[in-house]
Amino acid sequence: MHLHLLKHHPDLGPARIGDWLASMGHSFTIFHLYDGELVPRPGDCDALIILDDLEDRDQAPWLKAERKLIDQMLDGHKPLLGLGAGARRIAEALDAPVGRGTQAEAGWQTVSLADDSPFDLPDDFPALLWHRQVFGLPDDALPLGGTATSPVLGFAWDAGRVVGLACHLHHHQESLTAFLETMPLPQGADASPRTQSAETILAEARRLDTLAPLLDRLLSQWLRTAADV
């Protein structure tokens, strides 16, 4: 398969996702929207990944075209995956509520799998969270699971063809370090008990190795399921 990846910030790249795609024999093109590249056409790829973005980004020259592309992918029966802000934009396109959560979450948190989750993941697993914005479950979607503060941290829609993922499973050491050096803390993080310092997060960076096989399973399930839809 050939995939398109939409990148919105220099330090919000695919990280391990790019490694996985290459190892599985898939090709991909990254579109650097922050650097003036145009949003691609849906007919030029077999699947689309919308990478994370700054959480408070509501004005950017590419947003209108990106939202149109999301609608086209939803209607076009092609695999679609959104990470972080990308997941929120897909949820919004599916008419799910999107807004500010009760508390910011930034750092390592334990995600509990929902009872009816379709994802091939452990009942509980650590993941990096970095958000204040949350989304509800779209109609006809199945939940990933979540935390007490963010009960919906992901979803699968249209039998798994479309996946939104708010928790970060894709970082490796290099991408995590770059992320923590440049990303602003979520709004309200200074007053939230569910935030950690960059030093604390990096001290637990060994957790990245436990997330790698979970990412492999999630991506394999996504593309395998989407091929059967």
Side-chain angles (χ1 to χ4, degrees), residues 92-108:
E92 188 175 24
L94 291 171
D95 296 322
V98 177
R100 187 180 182 188
T102 56
Q103 291 180 335
E105 290 187 296
W108 297 107

mmCIF file with all atom_site columns, all heavy atoms in Angstrom, residues 92-108:
data_model
loop_
_atom_site.group_PDB
_atom_site.id
_atom_site.type_symbol
_atom_site.label_atom_id
_atom_site.label_alt_id
_atom_site.label_comp_id
_atom_site.label_asym_id
_atom_site.label_entity_id
_atom_site.label_seq_id
_atom_site.pdbx_PDB_ins_code
_atom_site.Cartn_x
_atom_site.Cartn_y
_atom_site.Cartn_z
_atom_site.occupancy
_atom_site.B_iso_or_equiv
_atom_site.pdbx_formal_charge
_atom_site.auth_seq_id
_atom_site.auth_comp_id
_atom_site.auth_asym_id
_atom_site.auth_atom_id
_atom_site.pdbx_PDB_model_num
ATOM 1   N N   . GLU A 1 92  ? -14.519 14.995 15.203 1.00 0.00 ? 92  GLU A N   1
ATOM 2   C CA  . GLU A 1 92  ? -15.352 16.160 14.884 1.00 0.00 ? 92  GLU A CA  1
ATOM 3   C C   . GLU A 1 92  ? -16.074 15.955 13.560 1.00 0.00 ? 92  GLU A C   1
ATOM 4   O O   . GLU A 1 92  ? -17.253 16.293 13.426 1.00 0.00 ? 92  GLU A O   1
ATOM 5   C CB  . GLU A 1 92  ? -14.475 17.406 14.827 1.00 0.00 ? 92  GLU A CB  1
ATOM 6   C CG  . GLU A 1 92  ? -15.231 18.705 14.688 1.00 0.00 ? 92  GLU A CG  1
ATOM 7   C CD  . GLU A 1 92  ? -14.310 19.909 14.757 1.00 0.00 ? 92  GLU A CD  1
ATOM 8   O OE1 . GLU A 1 92  ? -13.100 19.757 14.450 1.00 0.00 ? 92  GLU A OE1 1
ATOM 9   O OE2 . GLU A 1 92  ? -14.778 20.990 15.123 1.00 0.00 ? 92  GLU A OE2 1
ATOM 10  N N   . ALA A 1 93  ? -15.367 15.392 12.558 1.00 0.00 ? 93  ALA A N   1
ATOM 11  C CA  . ALA A 1 93  ? -15.989 15.133 11.261 1.00 0.00 ? 93  ALA A CA  1
ATOM 12  C C   . ALA A 1 93  ? -17.108 14.109 11.370 1.00 0.00 ? 93  ALA A C   1
ATOM 13  O O   . ALA A 1 93  ? -18.044 14.108 10.554 1.00 0.00 ? 93  ALA A O   1
ATOM 14  C CB  . ALA A 1 93  ? -14.928 14.659 10.260 1.00 0.00 ? 93  ALA A CB  1
ATOM 15  N N   . LEU A 1 94  ? -17.025 13.233 12.377 1.00 0.00 ? 94  LEU A N   1
ATOM 16  C CA  . LEU A 1 94  ? -18.064 12.237 12.614 1.00 0.00 ? 94  LEU A CA  1
ATOM 17  C C   . LEU A 1 94  ? -19.128 12.739 13.590 1.00 0.00 ? 94  LEU A C   1
ATOM 18  O O   . LEU A 1 94  ? -19.924 11.951 14.106 1.00 0.00 ? 94  LEU A O   1
ATOM 19  C CB  . LEU A 1 94  ? -17.424 10.948 13.148 1.00 0.00 ? 94  LEU A CB  1
ATOM 20  C CG  . LEU A 1 94  ? -16.558 10.176 12.150 1.00 0.00 ? 94  LEU A CG  1
ATOM 21  C CD1 . LEU A 1 94  ? -15.797 9.054  12.846 1.00 0.00 ? 94  LEU A CD1 1
ATOM 22  C CD2 . LEU A 1 94  ? -17.401 9.614  11.011 1.00 0.00 ? 94  LEU A CD2 1
ATOM 23  N N   . ASP A 1 95  ? -19.122 14.049 13.826 1.00 0.00 ? 95  ASP A N   1
ATOM 24  C CA  . ASP A 1 95  ? -20.139 14.716 14.656 1.00 0.00 ? 95  ASP A CA  1
ATOM 25  C C   . ASP A 1 95  ? -20.084 14.323 16.120 1.00 0.00 ? 95  ASP A C   1
ATOM 26  O O   . ASP A 1 95  ? -21.091 14.428 16.836 1.00 0.00 ? 95  ASP A O   1
ATOM 27  C CB  . ASP A 1 95  ? -21.550 14.455 14.099 1.00 0.00 ? 95  ASP A CB  1
ATOM 28  C CG  . ASP A 1 95  ? -21.745 15.049 12.709 1.00 0.00 ? 95  ASP A CG  1
ATOM 29  O OD1 . ASP A 1 95  ? -21.220 16.148 12.463 1.00 0.00 ? 95  ASP A OD1 1
ATOM 30  O OD2 . ASP A 1 95  ? -22.400 14.393 11.872 1.00 0.00 ? 95  ASP A OD2 1
ATOM 31  N N   . ALA A 1 96  ? -18.930 13.887 16.592 1.00 0.00 ? 96  ALA A N   1
ATOM 32  C CA  . ALA A 1 96  ? -18.758 13.630 18.018 1.00 0.00 ? 96  ALA A CA  1
ATOM 33  C C   . ALA A 1 96  ? -18.448 14.944 18.734 1.00 0.00 ? 96  ALA A C   1
ATOM 34  O O   . ALA A 1 96  ? -17.850 15.850 18.150 1.00 0.00 ? 96  ALA A O   1
ATOM 35  C CB  . ALA A 1 96  ? -17.622 12.629 18.245 1.00 0.00 ? 96  ALA A CB  1
ATOM 36  N N   . PRO A 1 97  ? -18.843 15.066 19.994 1.00 0.00 ? 97  PRO A N   1
ATOM 37  C CA  . PRO A 1 97  ? -18.512 16.289 20.738 1.00 0.00 ? 97  PRO A CA  1
ATOM 38  C C   . PRO A 1 97  ? -17.010 16.386 20.983 1.00 0.00 ? 97  PRO A C   1
ATOM 39  O O   . PRO A 1 97  ? -16.349 15.398 21.300 1.00 0.00 ? 97  PRO A O   1
ATOM 40  C CB  . PRO A 1 97  ? -19.281 16.121 22.047 1.00 0.00 ? 97  PRO A CB  1
ATOM 41  C CG  . PRO A 1 97  ? -19.498 14.644 22.184 1.00 0.00 ? 97  PRO A CG  1
ATOM 42  C CD  . PRO A 1 97  ? -19.645 14.118 20.788 1.00 0.00 ? 97  PRO A CD  1
ATOM 43  N N   . VAL A 1 98  ? -16.477 17.579 20.814 1.00 0.00 ? 98  VAL A N   1
ATOM 44  C CA  . VAL A 1 98  ? -15.061 17.862 21.038 1.00 0.00 ? 98  VAL A CA  1
ATOM 45  C C   . VAL A 1 98  ? -14.975 19.119 21.888 1.00 0.00 ? 98  VAL A C   1
ATOM 46  O O   . VAL A 1 98  ? -15.661 20.108 21.615 1.00 0.00 ? 98  VAL A O   1
ATOM 47  C CB  . VAL A 1 98  ? -14.313 18.060 19.708 1.00 0.00 ? 98  VAL A CB  1
ATOM 48  C CG1 . VAL A 1 98  ? -12.855 18.435 19.963 1.00 0.00 ? 98  VAL A CG1 1
ATOM 49  C CG2 . VAL A 1 98  ? -14.390 16.806 18.848 1.00 0.00 ? 98  VAL A CG2 1
ATOM 50  N N   . GLY A 1 99  ? -14.166 19.091 22.943 1.00 0.00 ? 99  GLY A N   1
ATOM 51  C CA  . GLY A 1 99  ? -14.058 20.265 23.793 1.00 0.00 ? 99  GLY A CA  1
ATOM 52  C C   . GLY A 1 99  ? -12.981 20.107 24.839 1.00 0.00 ? 99  GLY A C   1
ATOM 53  O O   . GLY A 1 99  ? -12.169 19.178 24.807 1.00 0.00 ? 99  GLY A O   1
ATOM 54  N N   . ARG A 1 100 ? -12.978 21.017 25.791 1.00 0.00 ? 100 ARG A N   1
ATOM 55  C CA  . ARG A 1 100 ? -11.975 21.051 26.832 1.00 0.00 ? 100 ARG A CA  1
ATOM 56  C C   . ARG A 1 100 ? -12.324 20.074 27.947 1.00 0.00 ? 100 ARG A C   1
ATOM 57  O O   . ARG A 1 100 ? -13.445 20.079 28.459 1.00 0.00 ? 100 ARG A O   1
ATOM 58  C CB  . ARG A 1 100 ? -11.885 22.475 27.389 1.00 0.00 ? 100 ARG A CB  1
ATOM 59  C CG  . ARG A 1 100 ? -10.759 22.711 28.363 1.00 0.00 ? 100 ARG A CG  1
ATOM 60  C CD  . ARG A 1 100 ? -10.788 24.156 28.849 1.00 0.00 ? 100 ARG A CD  1
ATOM 61  N NE  . ARG A 1 100 ? -9.700  24.435 29.757 1.00 0.00 ? 100 ARG A NE  1
ATOM 62  C CZ  . ARG A 1 100 ? -9.577  25.559 30.446 1.00 0.00 ? 100 ARG A CZ  1
ATOM 63  N NH1 . ARG A 1 100 ? -10.504 26.491 30.314 1.00 0.00 ? 100 ARG A NH1 1
ATOM 64  N NH2 . ARG A 1 100 ? -8.566  25.734 31.259 1.00 0.00 ? 100 ARG A NH2 1
ATOM 65  N N   . GLY A 1 101 ? -11.365 19.239 28.320 1.00 0.00 ? 101 GLY A N   1
ATOM 66  C CA  . GLY A 1 101 ? -11.582 18.293 29.393 1.00 0.00 ? 101 GLY A CA  1
ATOM 67  C C   . GLY A 1 101 ? -11.476 18.943 30.763 1.00 0.00 ? 101 GLY A C   1
ATOM 68  O O   . GLY A 1 101 ? -11.078 20.112 30.898 1.00 0.00 ? 101 GLY A O   1
ATOM 69  N N   . THR A 1 102 ? -11.812 18.200 31.786 1.00 0.00 ? 102 THR A N   1
ATOM 70  C CA  . THR A 1 102 ? -11.806 18.743 33.146 1.00 0.00 ? 102 THR A CA  1
ATOM 71  C C   . THR A 1 102 ? -10.393 19.012 33.641 1.00 0.00 ? 102 THR A C   1
ATOM 72  O O   . THR A 1 102 ? -10.177 19.944 34.430 1.00 0.00 ? 102 THR A O   1
ATOM 73  C CB  . THR A 1 102 ? -12.500 17.779 34.111 1.00 0.00 ? 102 THR A CB  1
ATOM 74  O OG1 . THR A 1 102 ? -11.857 16.489 34.032 1.00 0.00 ? 102 THR A OG1 1
ATOM 75  C CG2 . THR A 1 102 ? -13.970 17.617 33.749 1.00 0.00 ? 102 THR A CG2 1
ATOM 76  N N   . GLN A 1 103 ? -9.413  18.218 33.189 1.00 0.00 ? 103 GLN A N   1
ATOM 77  C CA  . GLN A 1 103 ? -8.023  18.395 33.601 1.00 0.00 ? 103 GLN A CA  1
ATOM 78  C C   . GLN A 1 103 ? -7.108  18.077 32.426 1.00 0.00 ? 103 GLN A C   1
ATOM 79  O O   . GLN A 1 103 ? -7.431  17.251 31.568 1.00 0.00 ? 103 GLN A O   1
ATOM 80  C CB  . GLN A 1 103 ? -7.664  17.473 34.763 1.00 0.00 ? 103 GLN A CB  1
ATOM 81  C CG  . GLN A 1 103 ? -8.335  17.800 36.084 1.00 0.00 ? 103 GLN A CG  1
ATOM 82  C CD  . GLN A 1 103 ? -7.917  16.837 37.178 1.00 0.00 ? 103 GLN A CD  1
ATOM 83  O OE1 . GLN A 1 103 ? -7.512  15.700 36.922 1.00 0.00 ? 103 GLN A OE1 1
ATOM 84  N NE2 . GLN A 1 103 ? -8.002  17.285 38.422 1.00 0.00 ? 103 GLN A NE2 1
ATOM 85  N N   . ALA A 1 104 ? -5.974  18.726 32.413 1.00 0.00 ? 104 ALA A N   1
ATOM 86  C CA  . ALA A 1 104 ? -4.947  18.372 31.445 1.00 0.00 ? 104 ALA A CA  1
ATOM 87  C C   . ALA A 1 104 ? -4.286  17.053 31.855 1.00 0.00 ? 104 ALA A C   1
ATOM 88  O O   . ALA A 1 104 ? -4.203  16.724 33.042 1.00 0.00 ? 104 ALA A O   1
ATOM 89  C CB  . ALA A 1 104 ? -3.902  19.476 31.368 1.00 0.00 ? 104 ALA A CB  1
ATOM 90  N N   . GLU A 1 105 ? -3.825  16.314 30.866 1.00 0.00 ? 105 GLU A N   1
ATOM 91  C CA  . GLU A 1 105 ? -3.040  15.101 31.115 1.00 0.00 ? 105 GLU A CA  1
ATOM 92  C C   . GLU A 1 105 ? -1.762  15.210 30.296 1.00 0.00 ? 105 GLU A C   1
ATOM 93  O O   . GLU A 1 105 ? -1.811  15.364 29.075 1.00 0.00 ? 105 GLU A O   1
ATOM 94  C CB  . GLU A 1 105 ? -3.819  13.850 30.720 1.00 0.00 ? 105 GLU A CB  1
ATOM 95  C CG  . GLU A 1 105 ? -4.996  13.552 31.636 1.00 0.00 ? 105 GLU A CG  1
ATOM 96  C CD  . GLU A 1 105 ? -5.641  12.222 31.328 1.00 0.00 ? 105 GLU A CD  1
ATOM 97  O OE1 . GLU A 1 105 ? -6.190  12.082 30.217 1.00 0.00 ? 105 GLU A OE1 1
ATOM 98  O OE2 . GLU A 1 105 ? -5.617  11.330 32.188 1.00 0.00 ? 105 GLU A OE2 1
ATOM 99  N N   . ALA A 1 106 ? -0.640  15.136 30.970 1.00 0.00 ? 106 ALA A N   1
ATOM 100 C CA  . ALA A 1 106 ? 0.650   15.225 30.284 1.00 0.00 ? 106 ALA A CA  1
ATOM 101 C C   . ALA A 1 106 ? 1.639   14.314 31.000 1.00 0.00 ? 106 ALA A C   1
ATOM 102 O O   . ALA A 1 106 ? 2.020   14.572 32.137 1.00 0.00 ? 106 ALA A O   1
ATOM 103 C CB  . ALA A 1 106 ? 1.161   16.665 30.279 1.00 0.00 ? 106 ALA A CB  1
ATOM 104 N N   . GLY A 1 107 ? 2.006   13.247 30.336 1.00 0.00 ? 107 GLY A N   1
ATOM 105 C CA  . GLY A 1 107 ? 2.944   12.299 30.923 1.00 0.00 ? 107 GLY A CA  1
ATOM 106 C C   . GLY A 1 107 ? 2.441   10.879 30.813 1.00 0.00 ? 107 GLY A C   1
ATOM 107 O O   . GLY A 1 107 ? 1.477   10.585 30.103 1.00 0.00 ? 107 GLY A O   1
ATOM 108 N N   . TRP A 1 108 ? 3.130   9.991  31.518 1.00 0.00 ? 108 TRP A N   1
ATOM 109 C CA  . TRP A 1 108 ? 2.779   8.574  31.482 1.00 0.00 ? 108 TRP A CA  1
ATOM 110 C C   . TRP A 1 108 ? 1.530   8.318  32.315 1.00 0.00 ? 108 TRP A C   1
ATOM 111 O O   . TRP A 1 108 ? 1.476   8.662  33.483 1.00 0.00 ? 108 TRP A O   1
ATOM 112 C CB  . TRP A 1 108 ? 3.930   7.733  32.003 1.00 0.00 ? 108 TRP A CB  1
ATOM 113 C CG  . TRP A 1 108 ? 5.175   7.837  31.180 1.00 0.00 ? 108 TRP A CG  1
ATOM 114 C CD1 . TRP A 1 108 ? 6.332   8.494  31.499 1.00 0.00 ? 108 TRP A CD1 1
ATOM 115 C CD2 . TRP A 1 108 ? 5.381   7.267  29.893 1.00 0.00 ? 108 TRP A CD2 1
ATOM 116 N NE1 . TRP A 1 108 ? 7.237   8.372  30.482 1.00 0.00 ? 108 TRP A NE1 1
ATOM 117 C CE2 . TRP A 1 108 ? 6.689   7.621  29.483 1.00 0.00 ? 108 TRP A CE2 1
ATOM 118 C CE3 . TRP A 1 108 ? 4.596   6.502  29.043 1.00 0.00 ? 108 TRP A CE3 1
ATOM 119 C CZ2 . TRP A 1 108 ? 7.231   7.228  28.260 1.00 0.00 ? 108 TRP A CZ2 1
ATOM 120 C CZ3 . TRP A 1 108 ? 5.115   6.106  27.816 1.00 0.00 ? 108 TRP A CZ3 1
ATOM 121 C CH2 . TRP A 1 108 ? 6.409   6.465  27.439 1.00 0.00 ? 108 TRP A CH2 1
#
